[in-house]
Amino acid sequence: MARLVLLSLVLLLATCHGSAHAIRPVATQPRATPAAFPPNASQEFLEAHNDARSGVGVGPLKWSQALANLTSLLVRYQRDKMGCQFANLTAGKYGGNQLLASGQAVAPRAAVEEWVKEKSFYNHADNSCAPNRQCGVYTQVVWRNSMELGCAQATCPKDQTSLTICFYNPPGNVVGERPY
């Protein structure tokens, strides 16, 4: 019962105040098993984010084990109860990015690099995104006011689809504000 209450709380938090969300399925690297992920996945997530941030002059994020624990509960819920579908991050307490990769696991750095690809559609001069394109996952990665990061991944055994979710605190993508 306590686990159900905790999971309900996590889902409530993940659906109350979020920002960037929903990326398309990707085909990036050959299929890997979760065991192929580096033992230092948190460091890989953090370094990939901070590389993108330093490229635009934004300070580094710090790893938050509390956020990582929340994302871990959420990706496991999405895997076990929702068939590895996207989570609803649109109204969560934290900023959030997610990546769904069909038929393969994705290394932490590759997931972040997929989000950073949206940089090519972002116009910093007028703080806009190219017509018919999305930039929200990129701008969340480099949002200057975000200070903490926590990420997790889960793989659906049925079809080897993997889901990666990162939470950012405080959230980014505030309407009318520039990410950097």
Side-chain angles (χ1 to χ4, degrees), residues 33-52:
T33 64
F37 287 168
N40 58 347
S42 59
Q43 188 63 31
E44 190 175 334
F45 276 119
L46 190 59
E47 287 175 2
H49 275 84
N50 287 337
D51 287 350

Side-chain angles (χ1 to χ4, degrees), residues 2 48 65 67 116 120 168:
Q65 193 57 50
L67 290 178
V116 173
S120 65
Y168 306 82

Side-chain angles (χ1 to χ4, degrees), residues 145-167:
N145 293 334
S146 292
M147 298 293 173
E148 296 179 306
L149 172 71
C151 305
Q153 297 177 308
T155 300
C156 285
K158 179 178 78 171
D159 60 4
Q160 293 300 303
T161 297
S162 70
L163 178 62
T164 303
I165 297 177
C166 290
F167 281 162

Side-chain angles (χ1 to χ4, degrees), residues 94-116:
Y94 304 108
N97 281 343
Q98 58 187 321
L99 179 75
L100 186 62
S102 298
Q104 64 193 351
V106 176
R109 179 170 288 279
V112 177
E113 288 171 352
E114 189 65 29
W115 297 326
V116 173

